[in-house]
Amino acid sequence: MATYDSVPRNVPLLEVRALQRSFYGVRALDGVDLVVEAGTITGLIGPNGAGKTTLFHCVSGLIPPEGGRVLFDGRDVTGWRADRVTQAGLVRTFQIARGFPRLTVLENLLLYGDGQPGESLARAIARPAAVRRREAALTERALAVAQRLNLTRVIDDPASDLSGGQKKLLELGRALMTDPKLILLDEPIAGVNPTLAREIAEHLHALRAEGMTFLIIEHHLDLIARLCRPVIVMAEGRHLAEGAFAEIAGDPRVQEAYMGRRRWAS
Ligand SMILES: Nc1ncnc2c1ncn2[C@@H]1O[C@H](COP(=O)(O)OP(=O)(O)O)[C@@H](O)[C@H]1O
Ligand SMILES: [Mg+2]
């Protein structure tokens, strides 16, 4: 993988232009514009109801936008279904970890490898050797991802037995199984104890150093301050401000957007 320093700077990996989406007349996204540059850990913050999660939904293909464009890695992916967007290299995690609680950690990872083996019975019957090779390669990848995220110890445990922080790591692992270029993380340390939160931050840092790009929603502003540059502030379905954390924290427009809604300091 490329090292961080070899990643070209100022290359827009994701470009969101004038994106719009309403729910029952409420404008969740009101023409939001933003860019995520390759090789960054970009933060996305803003008061409750600002439209952050809806932005993730529309960018990742969970729901279609009603206006505007989503450009990713040189392609217009607007309105693409989530599986196709994932194949293009853009994957997201959820605020509440998903996955299959009764399956083991390994099984959960294997389910998210691209072109899962056994998905096509016809192919398995026609080319069993190729399917076995593919299965072996996927298992190897899953083991590497688990090791990478310190999940080897619990690899045969059901996902339901994991701690809150380990579930977040599994969620990140499932994203890594798709071999992405950009990962959208929705509150990666919400409900996680401080020790594991630090560990998750270190993983993100290390992955970035290898060329991964992240866009992160997180209410723990200390994590955003430590990890993210730039930080984008959304309010009322729009891009309000952007810069290093210290810059946006001192911006009166940002303070006003937060006032009376959510405690600014954390
Ligand atoms: N599925 C939905 N149905 C109705 N309203 C929604 C839905 N999802 C989001 N909204 C509304 O859209 C606005 C933005 O919500 P959201 O994207 O969740 O904001 P954030 O993640 O920044 O807190 C809010 O007013 C919210 O109530
Ligand atoms: Mg949200």
Side-chain angles (χ1 to χ4, degrees), residues 212-223:
M212 190 67 71
T213 305
F214 294 96
L215 179 62
I216 301 185
I217 299 173
E218 183 53 67
H219 289 303
H220 290 87
L221 296 178
D222 49 342
L223 179 85

Side-chain angles (χ1 to χ4, degrees), residues 9-83:
R9 298 308 169 85
N10 305 316
V11 175
L13 183 57
L14 174 70
E15 258 185 277
V16 171
R17 293 193 192 145
L19 212 61
Q20 293 186 21
R21 173 75 203 202
S22 304
F23 298 105
Y24 315 106
V26 176
R27 287 191 185 183
L29 300 179
D30 192 13
V32 56
D33 290 297
L34 62 85
V35 169
V36 177
E37 286 178 5
T40 63
I41 302 182
T42 299
L44 184 61
I45 66 171
N48 265 332
K52 304 178 297 293
T53 297
T54 305
L55 179 86
F56 272 22
H57 288 343
C58 288
V59 167
S60 65
L62 192 70
I63 59 172
E66 291 158 348
R69 315 295 325 159
V70 179
L71 309 175
F72 174 69
D73 198 22
R75 278 190 275 189
D76 187 333
V77 302
T78 316
W80 285 20
R81 273 182 26 198
D83 53 350

Side-chain angles (χ1 to χ4, degrees), residues 201-216:
E202 279 160 22
H203 286 308
L204 300 182
H205 216 63
L207 287 163
R208 196 287 301 263
E210 290 172 23
M212 190 67 71
T213 305
F214 294 96
L215 179 62
I216 301 185

Side-chain angles (χ1 to χ4, degrees), residues 37-226:
E37 286 178 5
T40 63
I41 302 182
T42 299
L44 184 61
I45 66 171
N48 265 332
K52 304 178 297 293
T53 297
T54 305
L55 179 86
F56 272 22
H57 288 343
C58 288
V59 167
S60 65
L62 192 70
I63 59 172
E66 291 158 348
R69 315 295 325 159
V70 179
L71 309 175
F72 174 69
D73 198 22
R75 278 190 275 189
D76 187 333
V77 302
T78 316
W80 285 20
R81 273 182 26 198
D83 53 350
R84 224 176 132 206
V85 174
T86 299
Q87 268 173 24
L90 194 168
V91 67
R92 60 89 57 86
T93 66
F94 288 86
Q95 214 165 328
I96 309 296
R98 292 193 165 187
F100 299 88
R102 294 172 70 179
L103 296 186
T104 67
V105 167
L106 179 62
E107 288 163 343
N108 265 282
L109 290 174
L110 287 174
L111 273 174
Y112 281 79
D114 52 348
Q116 298 131 24
E119 75 189 334
S120 157
L121 185 59
R123 197 180 61 172
I125 291 167
R127 306 190 55 212
V131 169
R132 267 200 308 277
R133 271 200 303 278
R134 175 110 195 86
E135 223 159 61
L138 261 186
T139 304
E140 200 174 316
R141 183 172 179 82
L143 294 174
V145 164
Q147 186 167 33
R148 181 73 209 250
L149 299 176
N150 288 339
L151 289 172
T152 306
R153 214 163 28 84
V154 294
I155 196 149
D156 291 321
D157 292 357
S160 56
D161 284 4
L162 300 182
S163 73
Q166 286 172 327
K167 283 185 180 134
K168 293 283 192 185
L169 282 172
L170 178 55
E171 189 77 1
L172 177 60
R174 290 170 355 124
L176 289 174
M177 284 300 290
T178 68
D179 199 14
K181 294 191 171 105
L182 172 63
I183 303 181
L184 311 184
L185 296 170
D186 200 347
E187 304 204 17
I189 64 160
V192 173
N193 76 56
T195 308
L196 207 47
R198 257 195 306 279
E199 190 187 319
I200 290 172
E202 279 160 22
H203 286 308
L204 300 182
H205 216 63
L207 287 163
R208 196 287 301 263
E210 290 172 23
M212 190 67 71
T213 305
F214 294 96
L215 179 62
I216 301 185
I217 299 173
E218 183 53 67
H219 289 303
H220 290 87
L221 296 178
D222 49 342
L223 179 85
I224 292 280
R226 243 182 324 148

Side-chain angles (χ1 to χ4, degrees), residues 234-250:
M234 272 183 75
E236 298 178 355
R238 289 166 180 259
H239 177 292
L240 177 71
E242 178 168 347
F245 183 80
E247 287 161 19
I248 56 117

